[in-house]
Amino acid sequence: MSTATVQEHVETSASGKAGIEMMTITVRIRRYNPEVDAAPHWVDYQVTADPTARILDSLHKIKWEQDGSLTFRRSCAHGVCGSDAMRINGKNRLACKALVKDLNPTKPITVEPIQGLPVLKDLVVDMEPFFQAYRDVKPFLIAHGNEPTRERIQSQKDRDRFDDTTKCILCAACTTSCPVFWADGQYFGPAAIVNAHRFIFDSRDDGANERLEILNDREGVWRCRTTFNCTEACPRGIQITQAIAEVKRALITRRVI
Amino acid sequence: MASGAQGAKGTLYRGREGMWSWVAQRVTGVLLFFFLFAHVLDTALVRVSPHTYNQVIGTYKNPVVNLLEVGLVGAVMFHAFNGLRIIAVDFWSKGPKYQRQLLWVVVGLWAVLMLGFLEPMMQHTFHEWFGW
């Protein structure tokens, strides 16, 4: 990756020339090894970081240079795969999209696992309950009747209707920012509702009633208390609370518009 | 569950206006429930005897209960206005977009009405404490 440039920055700042000022930051990580620890605990790490680099780069530095046992998920490292959702400075974000300079680096930057899912080790949680809720809303096209011989045509307007909720990358930042989900792990959670919304409002799909019935459950959309934590946390900027409200209204009026 | 094992020492989630208005809605809701509980009990005393009722209501005539009354009005007003905001978020198509502005309207209305309420409600207490 960009090792060469990083070293260049170190040299320029060391020689006092203008350039990107590297800084020493403290990353306070909530660590937990189920084989050794009785409970999670905070550990501080000092790393030099480029203020415009991501917090994921600092996690890499810690793992590669200081403590190889630090465990976290990441795949693409560019905000596409949704693997590295974590609670950074008290808010759910993707470590690969959170820049050091936006996190008040003068104070220790806290990094903890997302809340409400069982912690397996350090920053890794068991995502299975989250994916189960996703599967429960049938996140695939349900179409009855004659198969068209060519593609299923849709107007631009009909496509735009659910465009926002197609952006979900299933990182779980929304669901694990929801106070209702923390208190009641049975709640479907924002991500599952977003992915149901994506099909409920798709003009090509015939499964809207089926999905609405699933979300009419006691643990469905009615659990939403509109705290907007999900909307604030979404790294893709999906208007989640709005989508949930639309599903609520579709359930009341029994009309999908 | 490991979320429990995460313990009290994890950071407090840094939610914004939406989360804190929800917390305030919960807190005022619980307070109002306790008020209603006491209120039903003291009102029911009139069935015991009007005299007992008057006696109990008489114990409320002091500045401390007056302050509690001001708190009650504050809790009722916040709970009511924010309740309307939540209805707007759920049923008005632009509600989620303007939820923050709606909250400032709620807080503004609350502050203005509280200021208006303060003088008439606390007249007697002001008189007793400061001789106004």
Side-chain angles (χ1 to χ4, degrees):
Chain A
M1 280 185 50
S2 57
T3 322
T5 19
V6 169
Q7 263 153 15
E8 204 176 277
H9 293 325
V10 175
E11 277 158 24
T12 48
S13 61
S15 59
K17 279 180 198 156
I20 294 166
E21 200 75 32
M22 295 291 283
M23 59 194 307
T24 305
I25 60 167
T26 305
V27 184
R28 181 167 291 169
I29 304 177
R30 195 147 172 87
R31 301 215 46 188
Y32 175 62
N33 179 353
E35 288 167 8
V36 189
D37 305 324
H41 55 278
W42 294 102
V43 181
D44 284 6
Y45 298 92
Q46 307 273 334
V47 275
T48 40
D50 178 338
T52 61
R54 298 94 36 89
I55 201 72
L56 179 67
D57 299 316
S58 297
L59 291 177
H60 275 154
K61 275 194 100 155
I62 295 165
K63 184 174 176 66
W64 294 339
E65 295 166 17
Q66 296 183 32
D67 186 345
S69 71
L70 178 67
T71 311
F72 55 91
R73 283 198 185 101
R74 64 99 176 82
S75 293
C76 78
H78 290 82
V80 182
C81 73
S83 301
D84 62 350
M86 40 191 92
R87 185 142 139 193
I88 301 168
N89 272 6
K91 257 184 195 170
N92 284 0
R93 328 170 200 237
L94 297 182
C96 58
K97 285 186 87 173
L99 301 188
V100 170
K101 68 181 168 69
D102 298 332
L103 291 168
N104 188 14
T106 54
K107 281 192 190 157
I109 295 170
T110 62
V111 181
E112 9 172 12
I114 45 180
Q115 195 181 337
L117 294 166
V119 179
L120 298 178
K121 190 182 179 191
D122 295 342
L123 304 172
V124 176
V125 297
D126 178 9
M127 297 282 280
E128 193 41 40
F130 172 80
F131 288 130
Q132 189 55 51
Y134 169 64
R135 285 192 289 267
D136 285 346
V137 301
K138 308 193 175 191
F140 41 81
L141 187 81
I142 299 174
H144 307 302
N146 293 331
E147 292 275 312
T149 48
R150 298 174 68 184
E151 74 267 39
R152 295 172 195 273
I153 308 272
Q154 185 171 47
S155 73
Q156 185 63 50
K157 190 165 160 277
D158 285 346
R159 176 62 181 74
D160 289 344
R161 178 63 192 84
F162 61 93
D163 188 63
D164 200 36
T165 45
T166 62
K167 298 174 195 161
C168 179
I169 53 173
L170 293 171
C171 66
C174 60
T175 296
T176 58
S177 75
C178 177
V180 179
F181 182 76
W182 299 335
D184 171 13
Q186 296 299 307
Y187 172 43
F188 272 91
I193 301 171
V194 158
N195 284 280
H197 178 283
R198 183 252 170 269
F199 286 100
I200 289 170
F201 291 91
D202 186 335
S203 62
R204 299 164 294 188
D205 186 88
D206 297 324
N209 278 326
E210 220 173 301
R211 295 194 186 86
L212 286 174
E213 257 340 294
I214 293 166
L215 292 177
N216 203 12
D217 186 84
R218 216 167 60 87
E219 304 290 351
V221 282
W222 308 116
R223 274 267 183 273
C224 168
R225 294 290 184 273
T226 64
T227 70
F228 287 89
N229 277 8
C230 53
T231 309
E232 312 272 5
C234 180
R236 309 302 311 271
I238 301 173
Q239 296 303 306
I240 303 176
T241 313
Q242 164 110 30
I244 297 175
E246 285 171 6
V247 174
K248 284 177 183 169
R249 265 179 273 143
L251 262 169
I252 292 168
T253 60
R254 286 290 163 181
R255 272 172 57 220
V256 174
I257 36 161
Chain B
M1 286 272 292
S3 64
Q6 215 168 315
K9 283 184 291 172
T11 64
L12 181 69
Y13 195 84
R14 285 219 216 143
R16 296 189 50 178
E17 295 90 335
M19 183 173 105
W20 292 112
S21 68
W22 166 76
V23 170
Q25 186 78 357
R26 275 283 158 107
V27 170
T28 53
V30 169
L31 289 176
L32 292 179
F33 171 79
F34 286 132
F35 161 72
L36 285 175
F37 187 75
H39 186 54
V40 166
L41 284 183
D42 62 28
T43 309
L45 278 178
V46 81
R47 307 273 320 221
V48 177
S49 88
H51 177 70
T52 330
Y53 174 80
N54 282 341
Q55 248 183 342
V56 170
I57 297 300
T59 62
Y60 293 168
K61 289 180 184 169
N62 66 67
V64 176
V65 178
N66 189 212
L67 278 178
L68 288 176
E69 267 179 335
V70 172
L72 175 68
V73 169
V76 167
M77 283 205 300
F78 180 83
H79 200 78
F81 292 142
N82 193 49
L84 292 174
R85 168 180 164 270
I86 295 168
I87 292 172
V89 166
D90 272 338
F91 291 102
W92 178 37
S93 58
K94 292 202 174 80
K97 190 176 166 192
Y98 294 115
Q99 59 101 1
R100 206 161 286 145
Q101 287 89 331
L102 285 172
L103 181 64
W104 297 130
V105 172
V106 166
V107 171
L109 262 178
W110 182 89
V112 168
L113 288 175
M114 273 313 267
L115 280 178
F117 264 112
L118 223 50
E119 209 271 328
M121 275 192 83
M122 296 199 65
Q123 225 169 19
H124 191 69
T125 300
F126 284 154
H127 184 76
E128 259 187 27
W129 281 358
F130 312 110
W132 292 351

